[in-house]
Amino acid sequence: MAEEPVNKPTTNEDDDFVDPWTVAGKSETGIDYDKLIKRFGSQKIDEEVIQRFEKVTGKKAHHFLRRGIFFSHRDIHTILNLYEAGKKFYLYTGRGPSSESMHIGHMIPFMFTKWLQDVFDVPLIIQLTDDEKVLWRDLKIEDARQMAFNNAKDIIAVGFDVEKTFIFNDLDFIGKCPAFYQNMVRIQKCVTYNQVKGIFGFGDSDVIGKITFPSIEAAPAFSTSFPFIFENKVLPCLVPCAIDQDPYFRMTRDVAARLKLPKPSLIHSTFLPALQGAQHKMSASDANASIFLNDSAKHIKTKINKYAFSGGQTTVEEHRLKGGNTDVDISYKYLSFFLEDDDRLAEIKKEYESGVMLTGELKKEAIDVITPWIQEYQKRRAAVTDEVVEQFFKLRPLKF
Amino acid sequence: MAEEPVNKPTTNEDDDFVDPWTVAGKSETGIDYDKLIKRFGSQKIDEEVIQRFEKVTGKKAHHFLRRGIFFSHRDIHTILNLYEAGKKFYLYTGRGPSSESMHIGHMIPFMFTKWLQDVFDVPLIIQLTDDEKVLWRDLKIEDARQMAFNNAKDIIAVGFDVEKTFIFNDLDFIGKCPAFYQNMVRIQKCVTYNQVKGIFGFGDSDVIGKITFPSIEAAPAFSTSFPFIFENKVLPCLVPCAIDQDPYFRMTRDVAARLKLPKPSLIHSTFLPALQGAQHKMSASDANASIFLNDSAKHIKTKINKYAFSGGQTTVEEHRLKGGNTDVDISYKYLSFFLEDDDRLAEIKKEYESGVMLTGELKKEAIDVITPWIQEYQKRRAAVTDEVVEQFFKLRPLKF
């Protein structure tokens, strides 16, 4: 029996809506993540967890941890205990590729995953679910594969270590690894239609590919799916991902118990909000809501100045008097993701909330942090050739 | 739009039950195949079809055709027209492997498939659905693969030409052929849960592997699933199979239309009845109901004498007077499958029905036909080594 419910948490009318396909908050301050933790049944990353992270790794916690951007977990202590005992585990994350350029919101889990890889010195597996995109969208196999290949370049440019990272797209890889398909079948045998209906909200008119897809996102959480990397060793897995992917891993953890394999541990991120406000996450399908990784400095400046929702007051006089609201201000939120300097961030918060800093000045702070970050990224991205991608995609042992 | 309904035919209380998992006739004369043709919406193989077979191929029709053992088809004329025009097609059949030895009933579609391969000189693909067995039974992946490998030997011993035949088991092959998985996804995108519920009777508590399995039996009907054989040529396909597999191909034909690929043609066999009577097909799970391919001469003799349901009368006197009933007599039915000599079969029928031939004598006729057939088969089977199997399983171009 599973110790956790695999059913979809009940959603009340005034709850934020979060599933793998839709994120819609009810408040202009964004998703109520504490409430989400309760509904999903995960654990909060509190001060104690952060301190244990620092103690075990001997490194300062990433600012995503310090600032609650990675805010929730399942069994992270299992992983920290393993690391402390000098035992091995691996990281698994992924992405549903899209035709558009990736945006800065997509980078959050990958930036943190790279930090985890560096800190723990462990192998990393990145799945690109191009098959999912074919099933959910009006998209041809060939186009989905190309999208996966292009997105892989964007991901590699985050700076992953080729000796410790394997990237694959389902439409090519599943036909190259019998052990992976065999694990898919093992998983598919443990999960009923009723269960995926409950967890993902699938309906009777959904195509059978969607209904079975969760087994494909689950399979990489078991090391036995990758004999060329792990031989047949059973290694525990840590999945860093945005909280909307949690339903897949609630299911996977239930399956793991039935297959007598280690349950994957999870560490969940919040969403980078859209320019227009924190109710919605940044979305590639809305160009005006997103800052893309291939945007120019001019684009970035224009978008933030024009679209970034402001927590400031309507007149300068009123602003000087009342101060701005960092709980809803998008420029401030972006700074909390991209400005690593805690002291400077605290200073900005204080100045903005007291009315010393005006909205235009806060926007400039955000532009001045994001622009060089993207420019550095674009330099790395330019160096990712087809040959580099092939190295990451090659079925091979990883260093660990 | 599909020109054929993909829904499951409605079944009345007094109809025979026939689906891929259960065959249960209502009458001791066995399944009413004419009624099945009407319910399934297929075409009867009548005298005209047989004559066209003979005209196009220049060969005498196989006795399975002449005697209504292969009794039904879908679009067989498409295939005959192609052959007449000197164009290419291929054959596809399969089997769900079992741990028990295969029995003579399993041989019927394969014997006919071999004849089709010889007559048309075309490539043949044989799928062993070991994944299906894992999903439907309490069976481990490793055991299912071994069963597939053993069953492959039984099938190869029918006499298939290694230069024109590719055999695969899903659990190994799907992880070796990206084009096959890509076609699975294309198919999975065209079929809803409602449809497989209608066609196969799946329910909400069925595991998701079962729900998606029909896409795996459908994929080999498209030549693009096997680029190593057909490059990327789109070739039509003829599927010889027992009528209980028709639901898979009703679905496949519907999908083919949507994917703009040729609909597979079909040619359907009746079932070889169980020893106990024609209501049931021979089943490997009941040793006393079946003549296995590894039975000794003594086994065969004992089983037929002891279990073969008789159409004879209760006393010799009554039998001499009224004669036997070949419509229900299992020994006679087996002769109609295995005795190729039409004249001799007609003679036996006449003698038995007139009371000249007694049940014991009819049983001896059956024993004397089946025993040497199995002994010849066993000689061929003994020659099928692991190396031979490997040749059939090797991904390679076929001669055609």
Side-chain angles (χ1 to χ4, degrees):
Chain A
M1 283 299 298
E3 71 196 39
E4 297 163 300
V6 291
N7 286 333
K8 195 176 185 170
T10 48
T11 306
N12 296 320
E13 212 175 280
D14 57 346
D15 281 342
D16 301 319
F17 190 91
V18 176
D19 82 2
W21 303 278
T22 309
V23 174
K26 297 282 177 182
S27 153
E28 65 177 6
T29 55
I31 308 292
D32 184 336
Y33 288 106
D34 281 335
K35 218 167 165 184
L36 212 55
I37 284 175
K38 279 190 198 145
R39 277 169 53 211
F40 279 19
S42 61
Q43 306 297 314
K44 190 178 169 115
I45 296 184
D46 55 18
E47 208 39 54
E48 198 188 321
V49 175
I50 293 170
Q51 280 175 18
R52 189 152 154 62
F53 236 105
E54 294 190 332
K55 181 173 170 264
V56 166
T57 63
K59 302 255 165 61
K60 189 180 177 188
H62 192 279
H63 68 280
F64 286 173
L65 279 174
R66 301 195 309 268
R67 297 179 193 161
I69 290 170
F70 270 77
F71 72 107
S72 159
H73 74 93
R74 294 182 187 273
D75 286 349
I76 192 68
H77 291 295
T78 306
I79 295 295
L80 295 174
N81 291 343
L82 277 172
Y83 184 75
E84 209 169 28
K87 289 190 185 147
K88 298 289 179 193
F89 66 95
Y90 72 104
L91 297 167
Y92 155 42
T93 190
R95 159 162 180 77
S98 67
S99 55
E100 302 84 3
S101 167
M102 285 171 68
H103 58 60
I104 56 172
H106 293 135
M107 289 290 105
I108 306 308
F110 289 112
M111 287 160 71
F112 189 67
T113 301
K114 173 176 159 42
W115 181 78
L116 291 171
Q117 182 180 58
D118 292 344
V119 163
F120 291 113
D121 188 27
V122 285
L124 162 64
I125 285 166
I126 300 176
Q127 177 185 46
L128 300 168
T129 55
D130 48 2
D131 47 357
E132 178 194 13
K133 293 296 164 174
V134 169
L135 291 164
W136 261 265
R137 289 196 191 183
D138 182 18
L139 190 69
K140 291 211 169 114
I141 298 268
E142 294 69 26
D143 297 332
R145 291 171 64 212
Q146 191 55 53
M147 275 159 45
F149 197 74
N150 293 342
N151 280 199
K153 291 186 174 178
D154 290 347
I155 292 165
I156 289 167
V158 171
F160 294 108
D161 181 346
V162 69
E163 296 203 318
K164 292 185 276 175
T165 307
F166 173 60
I167 306 181
F168 69 95
N169 66 312
D170 293 337
L171 288 169
D172 287 287
F173 173 68
I174 293 174
K176 287 178 187 163
C177 183
F180 191 93
Y181 177 64
Q182 290 166 19
N183 270 351
M184 276 168 56
V185 173
R186 286 187 179 96
I187 297 162
Q188 288 169 3
K189 191 181 177 168
C190 291
V191 181
T192 66
Y193 174 72
N194 261 331
Q195 286 172 309
V196 293
K197 195 168 153 179
I199 301 167
F200 302 100
F202 295 148
D204 290 9
S205 56
D206 275 319
V207 298
I208 58 175
K210 287 188 183 183
I211 288 161
T212 199
F213 175 74
S215 67
I216 296 169
E217 189 156 328
F222 302 127
S223 62
T224 52
S225 298
F226 306 96
F228 53 93
I229 298 176
F230 303 113
E231 291 158 5
N232 290 314
K233 288 193 197 82
V234 175
L235 283 195
C237 176
L238 170 61
V239 182
C241 63
I243 187 72
D244 61 340
Q245 298 301 298
D246 185 65
Y248 286 111
F249 299 104
R250 286 203 291 276
M251 186 198 87
T252 308
R253 287 165 57 85
D254 188 57
V255 168
R258 296 192 49 193
L259 295 180
K260 303 190 195 322
L261 288 170
K263 288 186 182 187
S265 294
L266 285 144
I267 186 158
H268 299 119
S269 76
T270 61
F271 306 106
L272 185 80
L275 281 159
Q276 282 74 7
Q279 292 96 323
H280 293 283
K281 65 172 180 174
M282 193 173 273
S283 161
S285 53
D286 183 356
N288 290 333
S290 304
I291 297 172
F292 292 103
L293 295 171
N294 59 1
D295 276 347
S296 66
K298 201 181 153 195
H299 271 131
I300 298 165
K301 190 176 171 184
T302 308
K303 281 183 181 178
I304 292 179
N305 280 331
K306 195 163 170 187
Y307 298 115
F309 184 81
S310 166
Q313 306 300 338
T314 39
T315 63
V316 173
E317 293 67 30
E318 200 186 343
H319 190 85
R320 294 286 186 212
L321 194 69
K322 300 184 183 170
N325 180 1
T326 54
D327 285 341
V328 301
D329 191 282
I330 292 299
S331 302
Y332 180 78
K333 283 192 186 283
Y334 289 178
L335 283 168
S336 73
F337 280 80
F338 287 93
L339 174 60
E340 284 184 45
D341 183 336
D342 290 339
D343 295 338
R344 179 65 194 137
L345 187 69
E347 213 170 76
I348 291 172
K349 184 179 163 75
K350 199 176 154 192
E351 288 183 11
Y352 191 62
E353 290 181 345
S354 67
V356 171
M357 183 179 279
L358 296 176
T359 291
E361 290 162 341
L362 178 63
K363 287 195 175 199
K364 188 171 183 304
E365 294 282 344
I367 292 163
D368 288 349
V369 166
I370 293 170
T371 307
W373 186 91
I374 289 196
Q375 284 170 338
E376 280 305 306
Y377 171 84
Q378 288 174 348
K379 271 185 217 157
R380 294 194 303 271
R381 175 67 176 77
V384 182
T385 59
D386 289 355
E387 291 67 37
V388 171
V389 177
E390 271 167 37
Q391 288 172 34
F392 279 91
F393 275 63
K394 197 178 164 200
L395 274 61
R396 65 206 192 280
L398 297 180
K399 198 175 144 191
F400 73 100
Chain B
M1 284 299 297
E3 70 196 39
E4 297 162 300
V6 292
N7 286 332
K8 196 175 185 171
T10 49
T11 305
N12 296 318
E13 212 175 280
D14 58 344
D15 282 342
D16 302 319
F17 190 90
V18 176
D19 83 2
W21 303 279
T22 310
V23 174
K26 297 284 177 180
S27 154
E28 65 177 5
T29 55
I31 308 293
D32 185 335
Y33 288 106
D34 282 335
K35 219 167 163 183
L36 213 55
I37 284 175
K38 278 190 197 144
R39 276 170 52 213
F40 279 18
S42 62
Q43 307 296 315
K44 192 178 167 114
I45 295 183
D46 55 17
E47 208 38 54
E48 199 189 321
V49 175
I50 294 171
Q51 280 175 18
R52 187 149 156 65
F53 236 105
E54 295 190 331
K55 183 175 168 263
V56 167
T57 63
K59 303 256 164 62
K60 190 182 176 186
H62 192 280
H63 69 280
F64 286 175
L65 280 173
R66 302 195 309 266
R67 294 177 195 163
I69 289 169
F70 271 77
F71 72 106
S72 159
H73 74 93
R74 294 182 187 271
D75 288 347
I76 191 70
H77 290 294
T78 306
I79 295 295
L80 295 174
N81 290 344
L82 276 172
Y83 184 74
E84 209 169 28
K87 289 189 185 149
K88 299 291 178 192
F89 67 95
Y90 73 104
L91 297 166
Y92 155 44
T93 190
R95 160 164 178 75
S98 67
S99 56
E100 303 84 5
S101 166
M102 286 171 69
H103 59 60
I104 56 173
H106 293 134
M107 289 290 106
I108 307 307
F110 289 111
M111 289 160 70
F112 189 67
T113 300
K114 174 178 157 45
W115 181 78
L116 290 171
Q117 181 180 56
D118 292 345
V119 163
F120 290 113
D121 188 28
V122 284
L124 163 64
I125 285 166
I126 299 176
Q127 177 185 46
L128 300 168
T129 55
D130 48 3
D131 48 356
E132 177 194 12
K133 294 294 164 175
V134 169
L135 291 165
W136 260 265
R137 290 195 192 183
D138 182 16
L139 191 70
K140 289 207 169 117
I141 296 269
E142 295 67 27
D143 298 333
R145 291 172 63 211
Q146 190 56 51
M147 276 160 43
F149 197 74
N150 293 341
N151 280 200
K153 290 185 174 177
D154 290 347
I155 292 165
I156 289 166
V158 171
F160 294 108
D161 181 347
V162 69
E163 296 203 318
K164 290 184 279 179
T165 307
F166 173 61
I167 306 182
F168 69 95
N169 67 311
D170 292 338
L171 288 169
D172 286 287
F173 173 67
I174 293 174
K176 288 178 186 163
C177 185
F180 191 93
Y181 176 65
Q182 289 167 18
N183 270 350
M184 278 169 54
V185 173
R186 286 187 178 97
I187 296 161
Q188 288 169 3
K189 192 181 175 166
C190 291
V191 181
T192 66
Y193 175 72
N194 261 330
Q195 285 172 310
V196 294
K197 193 170 158 180
I199 300 168
F200 302 99
F202 294 148
D204 290 7
S205 56
D206 275 319
V207 297
I208 58 175
K210 288 189 181 181
I211 288 162
T212 198
F213 175 74
S215 68
I216 296 169
E217 189 156 328
F222 303 126
S223 61
T224 51
S225 298
F226 305 98
F228 54 92
I229 299 175
F230 302 114
E231 291 157 4
N232 289 314
K233 287 192 196 84
V234 175
L235 283 194
C237 176
L238 170 61
V239 182
C241 63
I243 186 74
D244 61 340
Q245 298 301 300
D246 186 64
Y248 287 110
F249 299 105
R250 286 202 291 278
M251 186 199 88
T252 308
R253 288 165 57 85
D254 186 58
V255 168
R258 295 191 49 194
L259 295 180
K260 302 192 195 319
L261 288 170
K263 289 186 181 188
S265 294
L266 285 144
I267 186 159
H268 299 118
S269 76
T270 63
F271 306 107
L272 186 82
L275 281 158
Q276 282 75 4
Q279 292 95 325
H280 294 283
K281 64 172 181 175
M282 192 172 275
S283 160
S285 54
D286 183 355
N288 290 333
S290 304
I291 298 172
F292 291 103
L293 294 171
N294 60 0
D295 276 347
S296 67
K298 203 180 152 194
H299 272 130
I300 298 165
K301 192 176 170 185
T302 308
K303 283 182 180 177
I304 291 178
N305 280 330
K306 197 165 169 187
Y307 297 115
F309 184 81
S310 166
Q313 305 300 338
T314 41
T315 65
V316 174
E317 293 68 32
E318 201 188 340
H319 190 85
R320 294 286 186 212
L321 196 69
K322 298 186 182 167
N325 179 2
T326 54
D327 285 341
V328 301
D329 191 283
I330 291 298
S331 302
Y332 180 78
K333 284 195 185 278
Y334 289 179
L335 283 169
S336 73
F337 279 81
F338 288 94
L339 176 58
E340 285 184 40
D341 182 336
D342 290 340
D343 295 338
R344 180 64 195 139
L345 187 70
E347 215 168 71
I348 291 171
K349 183 177 164 78
K350 200 176 153 192
E351 287 183 13
Y352 191 62
E353 288 181 346
S354 67
V356 171
M357 182 178 280
L358 296 175
T359 291
E361 291 164 340
L362 178 62
K363 288 195 172 197
K364 188 171 182 303
E365 294 281 345
I367 292 162
D368 288 350
V369 165
I370 292 169
T371 308
W373 185 91
I374 288 196
Q375 285 171 336
E376 280 304 307
Y377 170 84
Q378 288 174 347
K379 271 186 217 157
R380 293 194 303 271
R381 176 67 175 75
V384 182
T385 59
D386 289 355
E387 289 68 37
V388 171
V389 177
E390 272 166 36
Q391 287 172 34
F392 278 91
F393 275 62
K394 196 178 164 199
L395 275 59
R396 65 205 192 280
L398 296 180
K399 197 177 144 190
F400 72 100

